[in-house]
Amino acid sequence: MKTKVRPTPKGRAVDPKARQEVLAVLGDAPRRRDLLIEHLHRINDLAGYLPAAHLAALAQEMRLALTEVYEVATFYHHFEVVKEGEAAPPALTVRVCDSIACELAGARQLLKNLSLGKDVRVVTAPCVGRCETAPCVIVGQNPIGNATVESVKNAVARKQTGPDNPKYLGYDLYRKTGGYNLIADCLAGKRTREDVTQIMEDSALRGLGGAGFPAGRKWRLVAAEPAPRVMAVNIDEGEPGTFKDRWYLERDPHRFLEGMLVAAWCAGVGEIWIYLRDEYAGCRAILEKELTRLRKEAPCALPPIHLRRGAGAYICGEESAMIESIEGKRGMPRHRPPYVAQVGLFGRPTLEHNMETVYWVREIVGKGAQWFASQGRHGRKGLRSFSVSGRVKKPGVHLAPAGITLNELIQEYCGGMADGHQLYAYLPGGASGGILPASKADIPLDFDTLQPHGCFIGSAAIVVLSDKDKASKAAINLMKFFHDESCGKCTPCRVGTGKAVTLMQERKWNQPLLNELSQAMMDASICGLGQAAPNPALSVMKYFPDEVS
């Protein structure tokens, strides 16, 4: 019996025009599997969305199953797949942040009043990392801080859709202030790995992304693993209320880059990936420019450094989900063990660090471990970069001693409470860190000090609520965020966050059921998102019972 040969490959036929356009967009870029998200960005940036025909062409060009491309393209918020016959979205999308700080600043009313015409789409967006200028609106990729209807309309009318970067310390000025001397000395043998690692351990610097693992110890653990070892830097700070990484990148990017190189050298790392959230288009432009300059005028031998772009997924702030995304997959957390220090990016031992953690390396090594360790208050050690938003006169990133209390932070660094507002409650660690009442504003803010009160400091994102706010409403906002951002991999998180939102929207909360649901989420969720999502609700029931009973 003669076998029939198919005239076309099995599956969707590729449109010749779409294929030519995809080839033009990709150019001579490698077609590796881990570059799938980068290639999707190229198509998305060109068209403003992802046409189905182009996804089929991309799948053929990368030798992937179309389902593999679709499952990635439909996972991330910033990609929109448009099937044949469906209308393309408007050319311009305006995103109104509706997370906690922006909601306090009137984002809902702003959204209601925005009418920008049929050629502009207005949608809500989770935290965009600019809480100090709430409410914030993103026009294309251009952030409009302290947004009003008029300022957004002006940006749209001027077609001001790209980021407007602030002035920052560039390569030349950084070198003039001693920049890159530390890494040059390390590579020249003037410093040893053991000496630098010991300084970091003595400084008591802990991971500043939220987990708080000692930095120097992490270097030792990774260095003890077999080569080749790699590094992944996490700048996907999607936690509502957190913006410190962006704040430092916009001002002194090379301090971060040098600290990254020193950490990589100490851990014996041969290749580095930087994962930057897509909302930070301005930071991406800065890093692309400064990395090019650094490579061109390298002060010493550099390992390969890759800048990867997120695509709008809070879950990718979790280290293993970030690694999955760097590999070109859906950002879904991995089961542990093995831990990423053992089997991480591309199956290699991986040094994973938050951006701010390595930002401090140059200064700590230069000034000594004792300089950093002696900065704390109330028996704590070190400095903390507090991202402060909400009802204070001076929101922003405030560098303060670890262990400072909220009352001290507000009075000494934030100019006091906003006029007409009295302290009522605060979030000590962003969306997942819980909510505390004003009566708990004298607790030292640091790792390990808040757990006895059912909270934690996380990435040190402080959102201040006043007597004009309700903790229960804040908790509902946060639970909606967690429900929208759940990756869906595990049932306790995927279903539990949705059920919690429903229960919390009732006038009177069913507290026994909500407690039972919260315990199931904390016990059975795979990663920190589901495990920490109940914290705001539990805090409200504990400290603000009158609001929900």
Side-chain angles (χ1 to χ4, degrees):
M1 181 177 177
K2 188 175 181 180
T3 304
K4 292 184 178 180
V5 178
R6 293 179 60 89
T8 60
K10 187 176 180 180
R12 181 190 178 111
V14 174
D15 178 68
K17 181 181 178 183
R19 174 173 169 76
Q20 289 303 314
E21 290 176 352
V22 167
L23 290 175
V25 168
L26 298 188
D28 58 359
R31 271 49 170 177
R32 297 195 316 269
R33 175 65 175 80
D34 62 289
L35 292 174
L36 174 58
I37 294 174
E38 293 295 303
H39 295 340
L40 288 171
H41 271 303
R42 291 183 180 217
I43 298 170
N44 198 69
D45 288 345
L46 181 69
Y49 60 98
L50 295 173
H54 290 65
L55 294 185
L58 180 64
Q60 185 186 74
E61 181 63 16
M62 296 186 70
R63 298 181 181 276
L64 297 173
L66 185 55
T67 53
E68 290 184 78
V69 176
Y70 257 88
E71 72 175 7
V72 173
T74 55
F75 180 84
Y76 295 93
H77 296 318
H78 293 183
F79 294 145
E80 181 172 357
V81 177
V82 175
K83 300 177 182 178
E84 289 183 8
E86 292 182 346
L92 179 62
T93 296
V94 172
R95 292 181 170 88
V96 180
C97 177
D98 65 354
S99 288
I100 182 65
C102 286
E103 183 174 277
L104 293 176
R108 286 189 181 183
Q109 190 61 42
L110 176 63
L111 179 65
K112 187 182 297 185
N113 295 337
L114 273 180
S115 178
L116 302 173
K118 64 179 182 179
D119 294 329
V120 180
R121 176 175 55 169
V122 180
V123 299
T124 58
C127 187
V128 296
R130 295 183 177 273
C131 314
E132 82 280 18
T133 61
C136 187
V137 174
I138 308 294
V139 178
Q141 293 187 335
N142 179 37
I144 309 296
N146 303 120
T148 63
V149 171
E150 183 179 4
S151 64
V152 174
K153 284 185 174 181
N154 287 340
V156 171
R158 295 196 308 270
K159 302 186 184 302
Q160 186 182 346
T161 58
D164 184 16
N165 291 329
K167 291 183 179 179
Y168 61 90
L169 191 68
Y171 184 76
D172 292 334
L173 284 177
Y174 185 75
R175 290 299 307 275
K176 286 180 181 179
T177 59
Y180 291 109
N181 288 348
L182 172 58
I183 184 61
D185 287 348
C186 290
L187 292 175
K190 296 179 181 180
R191 291 182 178 271
T192 67
R193 288 185 169 92
E194 174 59 31
D195 289 343
V196 176
T197 302
Q198 190 62 55
I199 290 172
M200 298 306 296
E201 289 184 327
D202 293 343
S203 74
L205 178 70
R206 297 173 66 170
L208 298 173
F213 193 87
R217 192 192 308 173
K218 183 180 282 190
W219 296 3
R220 288 193 189 279
L221 289 173
V222 175
E225 295 293 326
R229 295 172 288 270
V230 298
M231 183 176 185
V233 183
N234 194 334
I235 322 180
D236 194 65
E237 56 173 359
E239 181 82 4
T242 309
F243 48 92
K244 60 183 179 61
D245 293 351
R246 189 211 85 231
W247 184 278
Y248 286 126
L249 277 176
E250 289 178 339
R251 288 158 176 79
D252 197 354
H254 286 282
R255 189 172 299 271
F256 148 64
L257 292 173
E258 183 172 14
M260 175 188 76
L261 292 170
V262 173
W265 174 76
C266 280
V269 162
E271 198 163 1
I272 301 171
W273 278 260
I274 301 171
Y275 188 84
L276 179 69
R277 70 179 309 204
D278 195 36
E279 288 85 349
Y280 290 171
C283 291
R284 186 169 66 252
I286 290 172
L287 283 176
E288 286 173 347
K289 178 181 178 182
E290 297 306 315
L291 280 170
T292 298
R293 183 73 186 279
L294 176 61
R295 294 184 185 106
K296 185 177 180 181
E297 300 179 32
C300 56
L302 300 174
I305 302 172
H306 312 279
L307 179 60
R308 291 294 175 84
R309 180 178 171 184
Y314 166 72
I315 189 63
C316 290
E318 195 275 339
E319 61 178 7
S320 65
M322 174 194 67
I323 286 173
E324 289 285 297
S325 189
I326 293 174
E327 293 180 354
K329 307 170 188 174
R330 294 177 295 169
M332 304 185 88
R334 298 175 178 176
H335 288 281
R336 297 178 181 81
Y339 297 96
V340 299
Q342 303 164 310
V343 182
L345 186 58
F346 304 117
R348 302 172 187 171
T350 302
L351 177 64
E352 189 275 341
H353 263 316
N354 169 254
M355 173 264 166
E356 196 209 344
T357 308
V358 296
Y359 181 87
W360 289 108
V361 169
R362 175 190 164 189
E363 201 155 4
I364 290 173
V365 175
K367 294 182 177 180
Q370 187 57 28
W371 164 80
F372 187 80
S374 64
Q375 298 288 332
R377 285 188 192 177
H378 305 297
R380 311 305 298 177
K381 294 182 178 181
L383 293 166
R384 295 289 175 268
S385 300
F386 293 96
S387 304
V388 185
S389 60
R391 310 298 193 181
V392 294
K393 288 182 179 176
K394 290 172 57 180
V397 172
H398 298 290
L399 184 63
I404 194 172
T405 68
L406 179 74
N407 281 330
E408 292 169 340
L409 184 66
I410 290 174
Q411 294 305 317
E412 296 177 34
Y413 291 85
C414 302
M417 292 291 292
D419 292 338
H421 293 266
Q422 293 183 348
L423 179 64
Y424 173 67
Y426 68 104
L427 283 64
S432 55
I435 305 175
L436 289 173
S439 60
K440 301 287 185 183
D442 288 318
I443 300 171
L445 297 172
D446 196 16
F447 299 112
D448 310 321
T449 61
L450 296 161
Q451 279 84 339
H453 307 279
C455 297
F456 59 84
I457 193 170
S459 57
I462 310 292
V463 184
V464 180
L465 308 181
S466 79
D467 53 343
K468 292 180 170 50
D469 307 310
K470 282 189 174 294
S472 56
K473 287 187 176 180
I476 293 171
N477 177 286
L478 302 175
M479 190 60 76
K480 286 180 178 177
F481 170 82
F482 290 129
H483 179 56
D484 290 342
E485 294 297 325
S486 174
C487 75
K489 184 172 185 176
C490 64
T491 303
C493 177
R494 181 183 69 249
V495 177
T497 51
K499 294 290 186 182
V501 169
T502 301
L503 291 170
M504 293 166 69
Q505 287 177 328
E506 296 293 330
R507 186 188 65 80
K508 182 179 179 180
W509 290 9
N510 185 336
Q511 296 188 47
L513 182 56
L514 197 49
N515 272 303
E516 184 180 351
L517 175 63
S518 297
Q519 193 63 51
M521 292 170 64
M522 292 187 291
D523 290 343
S525 295
I526 291 173
C527 81
L529 192 157
Q531 294 163 10
N535 285 341
L538 294 173
S539 297
V540 169
M541 290 187 286
K542 181 177 182 179
Y543 295 115
F544 307 91
D546 292 344
E547 291 191 19
V548 297
S549 59

